[in-house]
Amino acid sequence: MTSNRLPAIIILLAIVLVIAYSSVFVVNAREQAIVVRFGQIQSVKTEPGIYFKLPLAFMDADRVQIVEKQALRFDLDNIRVQVRGGSTFDVDAFVIYDIKDVRKFRETVSGDREAAEARLRTQLDSSLRRVYGLRDFDAALSDERVAMMLEVRDDLHGDAENLGINIQDVRIRRTDLTQQVAPQTYGRMRAERLAEAELLRAQGTEEGQRRRAIADRQVVEITAEAQRDAEIIRGQGDAERNRIFADSFGKDPSFFEFYRSMAAYSSALSSQDTTLVLSPNTEFFRYFDNSNGLMPPVPPQTPAPVAPSN
């Protein structure tokens, strides 16, 4: 009897396990889930965990659609855009987004990520052409690039919100000249840079001449002021020296004469090439024989003999 029931019990357990397995689904931290029953959204699970639904999903009942929760990216490459003036660029860009409103995402594009990106790609293409078309050639390659990316992001924001998508960032990865216009454009840029260099060189020469003229004038003025100050100081020094000499002469005339003679000896005999031919009795050497400076007495002159008269 028991052996006859065993297959039935095994089949029953298998059916229970299948039903239990099909009634449970898991949502991890990087996902969110939409439970659809007969084509209608039954519930949305945005938090990670274990959830239950009707088993077996027969007749389109309680189907679970998993949607990414983390940031996603799609690229748009080799878009040819034209700036004001006629030049064209090849542009690469990409968009970072996340699915913020899962219910709206399901209602608008049936939760199909490729369909949503196709709509955003079309909008991105149109926005890039508009933003570049408003600018000149140089502006498209300048620091305005950040402002351009922000404008494109704002353009995408409205359509993305209708899809339940949040645009986090838009980046322009590459802006290159097309092969057809690159040689002419580089030639024009080279001519402009050369002209700019010539202008800067001329301005530098003019500024150099101006500064040299200022420096020369300042040298003349400073030299004249220095000479004037030197003359004043030299005159003051001479006056002070004369005053000191005058005071010294008044206090001790003999010492003053001695000092003057020593200074004359030092000045006249300082050079080894100096040769003096003077009489030893000259007043210049009076301090050589006498420390008091007294001159030796002059011997009396002998009268010349008178020839006898005849």
Side-chain angles (χ1 to χ4, degrees), residues 94-113:
F94 65 88
V95 175
I96 303 295
Y97 71 95
D98 63 279
I99 301 171
K100 182 179 180 181
D101 190 338
V102 183
R103 187 180 295 274
K104 186 177 292 184
F105 185 69
R106 166 71 187 183
E107 292 172 348
T108 51
V109 291
S110 301
D112 187 350
R113 180 182 162 187

Side-chain angles (χ1 to χ4, degrees), residues 61-232:
D62 282 10
R63 300 173 65 87
V64 177
Q65 183 177 17
I66 300 298
V67 177
E68 292 86 353
K69 191 177 183 180
Q70 73 274 22
L72 302 171
R73 164 179 171 167
F74 75 88
D75 292 69
L76 185 62
D77 297 334
N78 296 322
I79 299 300
R80 182 153 299 181
V81 298
Q82 186 176 37
V83 297
R84 189 165 53 196
S87 299
T88 55
F89 290 103
D90 287 333
V91 176
D92 294 345
F94 65 88
V95 175
I96 303 295
Y97 71 95
D98 63 279
I99 301 171
K100 182 179 180 181
D101 190 338
V102 183
R103 187 180 295 274
K104 186 177 292 184
F105 185 69
R106 166 71 187 183
E107 292 172 348
T108 51
V109 291
S110 301
D112 187 350
R113 180 182 162 187
E114 292 184 358
E117 289 184 353
R119 289 183 54 172
L120 289 177
R121 187 173 286 107
T122 302
Q123 182 66 21
L124 175 62
D125 184 284
S126 175
S127 179
L128 286 172
R129 295 179 189 280
R130 184 190 68 81
V131 169
Y132 274 88
L134 294 175
R135 286 167 171 82
D136 297 326
F137 175 82
D138 293 335
L141 301 175
S142 67
D143 294 338
E144 287 193 40
R145 199 168 180 170
V146 175
M148 296 166 65
M149 290 188 289
L150 293 177
E151 287 185 34
V152 174
R153 187 194 63 181
D154 293 341
D155 286 347
L156 295 181
H157 181 72
D159 196 38
E161 189 175 9
N162 293 332
L163 298 173
I165 288 175
N166 174 51
I167 301 296
Q168 295 184 3
D169 199 4
V170 175
R171 292 299 176 98
I172 298 173
R173 193 173 68 249
R174 178 178 69 96
T175 301
D176 289 341
L177 290 169
T178 59
Q179 295 293 331
Q180 292 78 9
V181 300
Q184 297 86 344
T185 303
Y186 287 139
R188 182 176 60 82
M189 292 174 65
R190 184 173 182 275
E192 292 176 354
R193 298 290 87 80
L194 289 175
E196 185 177 356
E198 287 295 331
L199 177 61
L200 293 175
R201 192 177 294 111
Q203 292 176 347
T205 302
E206 180 182 358
E207 181 66 16
Q209 292 176 348
R210 188 182 68 82
R211 294 192 177 218
R212 276 193 293 273
I214 294 174
D216 292 342
R217 187 183 70 236
Q218 289 178 344
V219 168
V220 172
E221 293 175 354
I222 293 172
T223 303
E225 291 177 358
Q227 290 177 348
R228 182 199 60 193
D229 295 341
E231 292 295 333
I232 293 173

Side-chain angles (χ1 to χ4, degrees), residues 193-307:
R193 298 290 87 80
L194 289 175
E196 185 177 356
E198 287 295 331
L199 177 61
L200 293 175
R201 192 177 294 111
Q203 292 176 347
T205 302
E206 180 182 358
E207 181 66 16
Q209 292 176 348
R210 188 182 68 82
R211 294 192 177 218
R212 276 193 293 273
I214 294 174
D216 292 342
R217 187 183 70 236
Q218 289 178 344
V219 168
V220 172
E221 293 175 354
I222 293 172
T223 303
E225 291 177 358
Q227 290 177 348
R228 182 199 60 193
D229 295 341
E231 292 295 333
I232 293 173
I233 295 173
R234 188 178 294 109
Q236 293 174 347
D238 291 342
E240 181 67 14
R241 183 194 61 182
N242 294 334
R243 187 187 64 79
I244 293 173
F245 282 166
D247 292 344
S248 300
F249 181 77
K251 292 178 180 178
D252 191 347
S254 60
F255 176 77
F256 183 75
E257 291 295 333
F258 175 77
Y259 176 80
R260 291 287 301 271
S261 296
M262 293 299 106
Y265 294 157
S266 176
S267 176
L269 304 177
S270 59
S271 175
Q272 296 180 354
D273 298 331
T274 302
T275 302
L276 297 176
V277 180
L278 297 173
S279 173
N281 297 326
T282 183
E283 188 177 356
F284 184 73
F285 293 121
R286 59 178 177 172
Y287 284 98
F288 274 69
D289 295 330
N290 194 320
S291 61
N292 294 325
L294 299 176
M295 295 294 293
V298 178
Q301 293 183 354
T302 305
V306 178

Side-chain angles (χ1 to χ4, degrees), residues 23-54:
S23 302
V24 176
F25 64 97
V26 177
V27 177
N28 63 41
R30 296 175 301 174
E31 297 174 339
Q32 45 195 347
I34 307 170
V35 179
V36 181
R37 181 177 298 170
F38 304 119
Q40 301 296 323
I41 298 175
Q42 182 65 23
S43 63
V44 173
K45 311 297 183 184
T46 58
E47 297 298 328
I50 300 175
Y51 298 96
F52 298 93
K53 65 180 183 62
L54 292 179

